[in-house]
Amino acid sequence: MPRPKDDFEELYPCDFYTPEELLDEELLYTVYEIARLLQGLEADAEIDEGVEDILLDWAIPWIMRNAEELVIAEPPSDDEPGYYGLKSESTEE
């Protein structure tokens, strides 16, 4: 149910990192690691599964929105996620 803005003590700008600000050009990340980074956590931070599910709600649209600036690599096995990274001159060829 929608709530009035006055119900909240403080409102914040809805700013997200750009891929260049968030990701290291030499590394590839899973969606789970990107989700942590978007929240200012370390990529390998231990978090509860419920929290991870919420963070994925932010990460998946971020990946889709920035798809033109990203590359994807196949997962090492069928039970692992794919990996995403920054597009660079070497990856565009």
Side-chain angles (χ1 to χ4, degrees), residues 24-65:
D24 182 310
E25 188 174 334
E26 301 300 318
L27 299 175
L28 293 171
Y29 304 83
T30 67
V31 66
Y32 303 101
E33 293 165 337
I34 291 171
R36 287 172 177 80
L37 293 172
L38 284 168
Q39 295 300 312
L41 302 171
E42 293 294 322
D44 60 354
E46 290 291 326
I47 57 175
D48 292 331
E49 188 174 321
V51 172
E52 186 169 66
D53 291 342
I54 293 168
L55 297 184
L56 287 176
D57 288 344
W58 291 88
I60 293 168
W62 183 89
I63 289 171
M64 294 173 66
R65 169 100 166 85

